[in-house]
Amino acid sequence: MKVNHVPTYTMSEDEVSKIVKSCDTHKVPIVPYGGATSIEGHTLSPNGGVCIDMSMMNSIKALHIEDMDVVVEPGIGWMELNEYLEPYGLFFPLDPGPGATIGGMCATRCSGSLAVRYGTMRDNVISLKVVLANGDIVKTASRARKSAAGYDLTRLVIGSEGTLGVITEVTLRLQKIPQHSVVAMCNFPSIKDAADVAIATMMSGIQVSRVELMDEVQVKAINIANGKDLPEIPTLMFEFIGTEAYAREQTQIVQKIAAEHNGSDFVFAEDPEAKKDLWKIRKEALWACFAMEPNFEAMISDVCVPLSHLAELISRSKQELDASPLVCTVIAHAGDGNFHTVILFDPNIEEHRQEAERLNKFMVLTALSMEGTCTGEHGVGTGKVKYLEKELGVEALRTMKRIKAALDPNSIMNPGKLIPPHICF
Ligand SMILES: Cc1cc2nc3c(=O)[nH]c(=O)nc-3n(C[C@H](O)[C@H](O)[C@H](O)COP(=O)(O)OP(=O)(O)OC[C@H]3O[C@@H](n4cnc5c(N)ncnc54)[C@H](O)[C@@H]3O)c2cc1C
């Protein structure tokens, strides 16, 4: 059934439950909506329906300082949450797109630059409250830090992309703001050298909190967008945390590793403003790309492989990208084996779109051949649906479909996303 698209702001869990129940009765599709920073068409409404905007359910319900957890409504942004937590010496360590909300972050099982140290959303959510398709409100777990009580419903909903229910409350694990941190940058003659250093750093046992890799094209975009003068060659950015002495010791060890792999110009910053500026630039790297081609669109790849395959994956992809007529940048959460390419294309030129698709597919298939995944952190949405069967196999997808059918028999929750349409019983 196709119905008109109706945006709805909601103020309470009870209201969400009533809306969802009514939509279920009338078989009207629902698309939950957070910060709308997702990248794979997650919030499209191909069948129309009701879009429930959660941004006004954004309060902090309880902060438990001694338990290092916080209970929030789903519409709060991770940046606003961290502003609130800072005076308490605490923070929440997931940093996806600026503007993303905690509910959307749960629904996409997101991560970010700090996942190498603190894990993904899967590891940092203690429990959820969820409105199911029939209007029932379910609490998935207690507030205990760990539990062996039954099926792990929390983890079932995390990454479900709004297809199983609407998240209305989230209890999050928090971390202490580190006593000291050092941000270091280093340049390399080739992207393979940079990837090798990221791997060698992880193998050395050093607990880095960030290892981010950028190729020369991405650095150029950053220079243009931010009026910077960074050397336009493959670059690694690190963050080390702990006591002052420990963070500096780790910095020196990695400086040595970098030198053994042709690294040069190793510089580091300890001034809080300089560090903030560097991470802001990195976080906004996607937008910086549009400084090179302001009227183009971007297709973003998000493959992830076991760490030992990262250097080979990046080298093979880079050869393909460099040979393409399109402008492509490489950016990676290298400590996790997670690698993005921003492929800029003119949406009015069909050959451009096809070439962007071809490059994206090349990287996905190469990652899958290395026991990797088509999406390390952005999720499936509509964009990655076509690759799921190759990655997971038909049995896994049929199992997902059975879960979906049990919890949402009328298929009203974000239909057309995550599960490929051809999967049937
Ligand atoms: C510049 C930029 C940088 C980025 N960097 C990263 C990164 O480093 N790591 C990363 O993982 N991602 C990154 N992203 C992607 C994006 O920020 C994440 O996917 C984020 O988790 C989406 O959150 P959101 O609130 O914007 O969700 P939305 O885009 O609003 O929604 C995403 C999905 O969640 C569902 N949803 C939203 N709220 C709820 C709810 N309350 N209940 C149930 N379902 C809900 C929606 O239906 C949809 O399917 C980046 C994006 C941009 C633009």
Side-chain angles (χ1 to χ4, degrees):
M1 178 178 62
K2 170 93 180 167
V3 289
N4 289 333
H5 177 77
V6 186
T8 308
Y9 290 90
T10 184
M11 302 297 287
S12 72
E13 185 173 81
D14 190 43
E15 226 174 61
V16 174
S17 169
K18 284 182 182 143
I19 295 167
V20 173
K21 201 169 177 174
S22 169
C23 286
D24 196 41
T25 305
H26 299 286
K27 298 192 173 51
V28 174
I30 291 176
V31 181
Y33 194 86
T37 67
S38 52
I39 290 175
E40 294 292 348
H42 294 76
T43 52
L44 296 175
S45 302
N47 306 307
V50 173
C51 171
I52 307 185
D53 188 324
M54 305 299 289
S55 59
M56 288 168 89
M57 276 183 73
N58 60 357
S59 68
I60 292 167
K61 296 174 99 172
L63 172 63
H64 305 108
I65 294 175
E66 287 171 3
D67 297 327
M68 290 175 65
D69 70 49
V70 68
V71 185
V72 298
E73 289 189 318
I76 189 165
W78 63 272
M79 299 173 92
E80 289 75 35
L81 178 62
N82 278 335
E83 271 170 33
Y84 168 83
L85 293 171
E86 195 174 355
Y88 302 98
L90 296 169
F91 80 113
F92 181 64
L94 277 294
D95 59 345
T101 62
I102 296 296
M105 290 160 64
C106 291
T108 52
R109 203 193 298 132
C110 83
S111 47
S113 62
L114 287 159
V116 65
R117 171 70 180 238
Y118 297 102
T120 74
M121 212 60 188
R122 181 188 61 189
D123 310 296
N124 289 282
V125 175
I126 296 173
S127 81
L128 298 169
K129 279 177 88 181
V130 186
V131 173
L132 299 181
N134 63 359
D136 284 359
I137 300 170
V138 176
K139 185 148 173 61
T140 60
S142 74
R143 201 164 58 79
R145 282 233 150 183
K146 62 181 205 180
S147 163
Y151 292 147
D152 191 341
L153 298 181
T154 313
R155 248 54 51 180
L156 175 63
V157 174
I158 290 175
S160 63
E161 302 186 359
T163 63
L164 298 180
V166 183
I167 299 162
T168 49
E169 186 186 284
V170 188
T171 304
L172 298 168
R173 278 174 104 108
L174 300 176
Q175 302 290 337
K176 276 295 286 175
I177 295 176
Q179 217 181 78
H180 191 76
S181 69
V182 178
V183 176
M185 287 177 82
C186 186
N187 304 318
F188 296 88
S190 79
I191 195 126
K192 182 167 183 316
D193 286 318
D196 282 341
V197 167
I199 296 165
T201 303
M202 299 304 292
M203 292 289 292
S204 74
I206 287 180
Q207 289 205 322
V208 278
S209 63
R210 286 168 157 136
V211 193
E212 299 285 298
L213 183 154
M214 297 179 285
D215 76 345
E216 67 285 359
V217 193
Q218 183 61 61
V219 180
K220 182 178 176 187
I222 285 174
N223 279 343
I224 298 172
N226 298 280
K228 296 276 175 190
D229 194 17
L230 300 170
E232 292 176 3
I233 49 177
T235 301
L236 274 180
M237 281 175 83
F238 295 94
E239 185 180 66
F240 308 100
I241 57 173
T243 61
E244 201 169 323
Y246 184 63
R248 283 197 185 146
E249 189 192 348
Q250 293 176 92
T251 311
Q252 280 160 9
I253 296 171
V254 172
Q255 184 169 14
K256 199 161 164 278
I257 296 174
E260 286 162 7
H261 290 81
N262 307 317
S264 61
D265 307 323
F266 194 95
V267 290
F268 60 92
E270 291 179 282
D271 169 60
E273 283 312 308
K275 288 186 290 191
K276 220 181 232 175
D277 187 43
L278 283 173
W279 288 125
K280 186 169 175 294
I281 285 174
R282 161 61 193 90
K283 200 71 253 169
E284 294 171 3
L286 165 62
W287 294 321
C289 296
F290 294 110
M292 294 194 294
E293 296 286 2
N295 298 319
F296 280 22
E297 286 184 7
M299 190 173 290
I300 302 161
S301 77
D302 173 36
V303 291
C304 187
V305 287
L307 199 54
S308 61
H309 290 294
L310 180 69
E312 192 195 344
L313 172 67
I314 295 190
S315 301
R316 280 167 66 178
S317 303
K318 186 73 178 139
Q319 272 178 16
E320 204 71 18
L321 297 170
D322 286 348
S324 169
L326 299 183
V327 175
C328 310
T329 76
V330 168
I331 192 153
H333 304 304
D336 286 330
N338 187 189
F339 151 55
H340 303 305
T341 320
V342 180
I343 307 164
L344 296 167
F345 67 98
D346 185 338
N348 302 311
I349 302 178
E350 186 49 31
E351 297 83 56
H352 271 205
R353 191 180 288 279
Q354 281 174 13
E355 171 66 357
E357 285 284 0
R358 186 190 70 78
L359 292 170
N360 199 0
K361 186 172 177 186
F362 172 84
M363 283 175 277
V364 169
L365 296 184
T366 310
L368 295 186
S369 74
M370 297 173 171
E371 297 181 88
T373 173
C374 65
T375 171
E377 57 180 16
H378 293 164
V380 178
T382 51
K384 291 288 162 63
V385 160
K386 53 184 172 289
Y387 300 118
L388 279 204
E389 186 174 344
K390 190 162 181 58
E391 177 171 336
L392 298 172
V394 76
E395 291 307 332
L397 294 183
R398 283 194 186 135
T399 307
M400 288 189 197
K401 177 87 179 179
R402 277 188 210 111
I403 294 169
K404 167 82 172 164
L407 295 181
D408 179 18
N410 292 322
S411 199
I412 60 160
M413 295 304 313
N414 210 0
K417 316 293 165 58
L418 204 148
I419 299 175
H422 70 279
I423 296 297
C424 55
F425 293 108

